[in-house]
Amino acid sequence: MAVPINFITEELDRMKREGLYGNIRTIESPQGPIVKITGKEYINLCSNNYLGFCNHPELVQRVKEAVDVYGVGPGAVRTIAGTMSIHIEFEKKIAQFKGCEAAILLQSGFCANLAVLPTLAPNAEDIIFSDSLNHASIIDSCRLSKAKVVRYEHSDMDSLKAKAEEYAGATGRKMLVTDGVFSMDGDVAKLPEIVDICEKHGIIVVVDDAHGEGVLGKGGRGIADHFGLHGRVDVEVGTLSKAFGVMGGIVAGKAELVDFIRQKARPNLFSSALTVPDVAANLAAVDILLRNDNLVKKLWENGHYIKAELSKYGFNTAHSETPITPVIIGEANDAKQFGVKLFENGVFATPIVFPTVPKGTARIRVMVSAAHTKEHIDNGVAVFAKVGREMGIIK
């Protein structure tokens, strides 16, 4: 390797020494409660497939039908020749589901944040208030904006009030962005209080509801529905790669907002449209959720159950308010070892370490789905208990 990039080898070696290097497993089967890795079956407790949609037969069938009609790819960006009738159909349906006037479909949740923040706050005199534990896609989107980024302490409303008052005289646009559900701890943003503060100070409210759609609210309609805040959240950003089990991102809100994003956001202007199979699968997922809330109820039932079972053994599951269940281990190397031992005993649950979470809070983030049975959960918890005792994590 040439001398100018020797730092790559050095950095990789350091990551391995400190337990920060990730061993990425390859799944050889459909994504589900049981997955096949290296020819063996494992209980899957780490995917974001909340409702079991990744391999849902209705989604699979709708994809096959749509490909016969539309082919596979859109062939262009949305603004040139890449907008197909299936894209418009989905946008109308997801807006109906979210209780918004309109929505735009983008390539991913990451792209949706990239479409919103630099577009709505493009100037140096603009201010973006950002929760200190916001997702990396929000952080990167803030960096692409020329706006001044003002961080407030995580879910600390006194901190937010102080920041809002400090910048009350700012002359540019003011915008607040927060995750709806924080993916590493499973806690929910204090959205009613946030909205009250922002309305008082003339601040645009942007919520990234990546882990709320399909989880919170009536039939999984998200955090705005959960808190009864329809019409008071200016911009709802979402992803279709978690509860929806597919791929894509959305921005929803007033029709004028969506039109503005459609005309000016760079991910829409300079990156090709979402593929036909993705859109068809997403349409099927929305149709299922509009039909009934059975899968959402099952997800929450499973989430409550696994939390209770892990807590019985003395595991630290922090203060999650959602089916996300962090099992706090502590040091990165210990979490890595815990994950290896789980895998050796038939459970696939990936360690989460710095920089994804703060140092000293490395964890196994347990993610159940509506597709898990009680037997899956009981067997998985039994393995957690076995490994926890072996490592002295629990008694």
Coordinates of all heavy atoms in Angstrom, one line a residue, residues 74-107:
P74 N -36.5 2.7 -12.9 CA -37.1 3.9 -13.5 C -36.3 4.5 -14.6 O -36.9 5.3 -15.4 CB -37.2 4.8 -12.2 CG -36.1 4.4 -11.4 CD -35.9 2.9 -11.6
G75 N -35.0 4.3 -14.6 CA -34.2 4.8 -15.7 C -33.8 6.2 -15.7 O -33.1 6.7 -16.6
A76 N -34.2 7.0 -14.6 CA -33.8 8.4 -14.6 C -34.2 9.0 -13.3 O -34.9 8.3 -12.4 CB -34.6 9.1 -15.7
V77 N -33.7 10.2 -13.0 CA -34.2 10.9 -11.8 C -35.7 11.3 -12.0 O -36.2 11.3 -13.1 CB -33.3 12.2 -11.6 CG1 -31.9 11.9 -11.4 CG2 -33.5 13.2 -12.8
R78 N -36.3 11.6 -10.9 CA -37.7 11.9 -10.9 C -38.1 13.0 -11.8 O -39.2 13.0 -12.5 CB -38.3 12.2 -9.5 CG -38.2 11.0 -8.5 CD -39.3 10.0 -8.8 NE -40.6 10.5 -8.7 CZ -41.4 10.6 -7.6 NH1 -40.9 10.2 -6.5 NH2 -42.6 11.1 -7.7
T79 N -37.2 14.0 -11.9 CA -37.6 15.3 -12.6 C -37.3 15.2 -14.1 O -37.7 16.2 -14.8 CB -36.8 16.5 -12.0 OG1 -35.4 16.1 -12.0 CG2 -37.3 16.8 -10.6
I80 N -36.7 14.2 -14.6 CA -36.4 14.1 -16.0 C -37.4 13.0 -16.7 O -38.3 13.4 -17.5 CB -35.0 13.7 -16.3 CG1 -34.1 14.9 -15.8 CG2 -34.7 13.5 -17.8 CD1 -32.6 14.6 -16.0
A81 N -37.2 11.8 -16.3 CA -38.1 10.7 -16.9 C -38.3 9.6 -16.0 O -38.7 8.5 -16.4 CB -37.5 10.2 -18.2
G82 N -38.0 9.8 -14.7 CA -38.0 8.7 -13.7 C -39.3 8.6 -12.9 O -39.4 7.7 -12.0
T83 N -40.3 9.5 -13.1 CA -41.5 9.4 -12.3 C -42.5 8.5 -13.0 O -42.9 8.8 -14.1 CB -42.1 10.8 -12.1 OG1 -41.2 11.5 -11.2 CG2 -43.5 10.7 -11.4
M84 N -42.9 7.4 -12.3 CA -43.8 6.4 -12.9 C -45.1 6.5 -12.1 O -45.1 7.0 -11.0 CB -43.2 5.0 -12.9 CG -41.8 4.9 -13.5 SD -41.0 3.3 -13.4 CE -41.8 2.5 -14.7
S85 N -46.2 6.0 -12.7 CA -47.5 6.1 -12.0 C -47.4 5.3 -10.6 O -48.2 5.7 -9.7 CB -48.6 5.5 -12.9 OG -48.3 4.2 -13.3
I86 N -46.6 4.3 -10.5 CA -46.5 3.6 -9.2 C -45.9 4.5 -8.1 O -46.3 4.3 -7.0 CB -45.8 2.3 -9.4 CG1 -46.0 1.3 -8.2 CG2 -44.3 2.5 -9.7 CD1 -45.5 -0.1 -8.4
H87 N -45.0 5.4 -8.5 CA -44.5 6.3 -7.5 C -45.6 7.2 -7.0 O -45.7 7.5 -5.8 CB -43.3 7.2 -8.1 CG -42.1 6.4 -8.5 ND1 -41.7 6.2 -9.8 CD2 -41.2 5.8 -7.7 CE1 -40.6 5.5 -9.8 NE2 -40.3 5.2 -8.6
I88 N -46.4 7.8 -7.9 CA -47.4 8.7 -7.5 C -48.5 8.0 -6.7 O -49.0 8.5 -5.7 CB -48.1 9.3 -8.8 CG1 -47.1 10.0 -9.7 CG2 -49.2 10.2 -8.4 CD1 -46.3 11.1 -9.0
E89 N -48.8 6.7 -7.1 CA -49.8 6.0 -6.3 C -49.3 5.8 -4.8 O -50.1 6.0 -3.9 CB -50.0 4.6 -6.9 CG -51.0 3.7 -6.2 CD -51.1 2.3 -6.8 OE1 -50.4 2.1 -7.9 OE2 -51.9 1.5 -6.3
F90 N -48.0 5.5 -4.7 CA -47.5 5.3 -3.3 C -47.5 6.6 -2.6 O -47.8 6.6 -1.4 CB -46.0 4.7 -3.4 CG -45.4 4.6 -2.0 CD1 -45.8 3.6 -1.2 CD2 -44.6 5.6 -1.5 CE1 -45.3 3.5 0.1 CE2 -44.1 5.6 -0.2 CZ -44.4 4.5 0.6
E91 N -47.1 7.7 -3.2 CA -47.0 9.0 -2.5 C -48.4 9.4 -2.0 O -48.6 9.9 -0.8 CB -46.5 10.0 -3.4 CG -45.0 9.9 -3.6 CD -44.4 10.8 -4.6 OE1 -45.1 11.3 -5.5 OE2 -43.1 11.0 -4.6
K92 N -49.4 9.1 -2.8 CA -50.8 9.4 -2.3 C -51.2 8.6 -1.1 O -51.8 9.0 -0.2 CB -51.8 9.3 -3.5 CG -51.7 10.3 -4.5 CD -52.6 10.1 -5.7 CE -52.5 11.2 -6.8 NZ -53.4 11.0 -7.9
K93 N -50.8 7.3 -1.2 CA -51.3 6.3 -0.2 C -50.5 6.6 1.1 O -51.1 6.5 2.2 CB -51.1 4.9 -0.7 CG -51.7 3.9 0.2 CD -52.1 2.6 -0.5 CE -53.3 2.8 -1.4 NZ -53.7 1.5 -2.0
I94 N -49.2 6.9 1.0 CA -48.5 7.1 2.3 C -48.9 8.4 2.9 O -48.9 8.5 4.2 CB -46.9 7.1 2.0 CG1 -46.1 6.9 3.4 CG2 -46.4 8.3 1.3 CD1 -46.3 5.6 4.0
A95 N -49.3 9.4 2.1 CA -49.8 10.7 2.7 C -51.1 10.4 3.5 O -51.3 10.9 4.6 CB -50.0 11.7 1.6
Q96 N -51.9 9.6 2.9 CA -53.2 9.2 3.5 C -52.9 8.5 4.8 O -53.5 8.8 5.9 CB -54.0 8.3 2.6 CG -55.2 7.7 3.2 CD -55.8 6.5 2.4 OE1 -55.5 6.3 1.3 NE2 -56.8 5.8 3.0
F97 N -52.0 7.5 4.8 CA -51.6 6.8 6.0 C -51.0 7.7 7.1 O -51.4 7.5 8.3 CB -50.5 5.7 5.6 CG -50.0 4.9 6.8 CD1 -50.7 4.0 7.4 CD2 -48.7 5.2 7.2 CE1 -50.2 3.2 8.4 CE2 -48.2 4.4 8.2 CZ -48.9 3.4 8.9
K98 N -50.2 8.7 6.7 CA -49.6 9.6 7.7 C -50.5 10.7 8.1 O -50.2 11.4 9.1 CB -48.3 10.2 7.1 CG -47.2 9.2 6.8 CD -46.6 8.7 8.1 CE -45.7 9.7 8.8 NZ -45.1 9.2 10.0
G99 N -51.6 10.9 7.5 CA -52.6 11.9 7.8 C -52.0 13.3 7.4 O -52.3 14.3 8.0
C100 N -51.3 13.3 6.3 CA -50.7 14.6 5.8 C -51.3 14.9 4.4 O -51.9 14.1 3.7 CB -49.2 14.4 5.6 SG -48.3 14.2 7.2
E101 N -51.1 16.2 4.0 CA -51.7 16.6 2.7 C -50.9 15.9 1.6 O -51.6 15.6 0.5 CB -51.5 18.1 2.5 CG -52.5 18.9 3.4 CD -52.4 20.4 3.1 OE1 -51.6 20.8 2.2 OE2 -53.1 21.2 3.8
A102 N -49.6 15.7 1.7 CA -48.8 15.2 0.6 C -47.6 14.5 1.1 O -47.2 14.7 2.3 CB -48.5 16.3 -0.4
A103 N -46.9 13.8 0.2 CA -45.6 13.2 0.6 C -44.8 13.0 -0.7 O -45.4 12.9 -1.8 CB -45.9 11.8 1.3
I104 N -43.5 12.9 -0.5 CA -42.6 12.6 -1.6 C -41.8 11.4 -1.3 O -41.3 11.3 -0.1 CB -41.7 13.8 -2.0 CG1 -40.8 13.5 -3.2 CG2 -40.9 14.3 -0.8 CD1 -40.0 14.7 -3.7
L105 N -41.6 10.5 -2.2 CA -40.8 9.3 -2.1 C -39.4 9.5 -2.5 O -39.1 10.0 -3.6 CB -41.4 8.2 -2.9 CG -40.7 6.8 -2.9 CD1 -40.6 6.2 -1.5 CD2 -41.4 5.9 -3.9
L106 N -38.4 9.1 -1.7 CA -37.0 9.3 -2.0 C -36.3 7.9 -1.9 O -37.0 6.9 -1.6 CB -36.4 10.3 -1.1 CG -36.9 11.7 -1.3 CD1 -37.1 12.5 0.0 CD2 -36.0 12.5 -2.3
Q107 N -35.0 7.9 -2.1 CA -34.3 6.6 -2.2 C -34.0 5.9 -0.9 O -33.9 4.7 -0.9 CB -33.0 6.9 -3.0 CG -33.1 7.5 -4.3 CD -33.2 9.0 -4.3 OE1 -33.3 9.6 -3.2 NE2 -33.1 9.6 -5.4

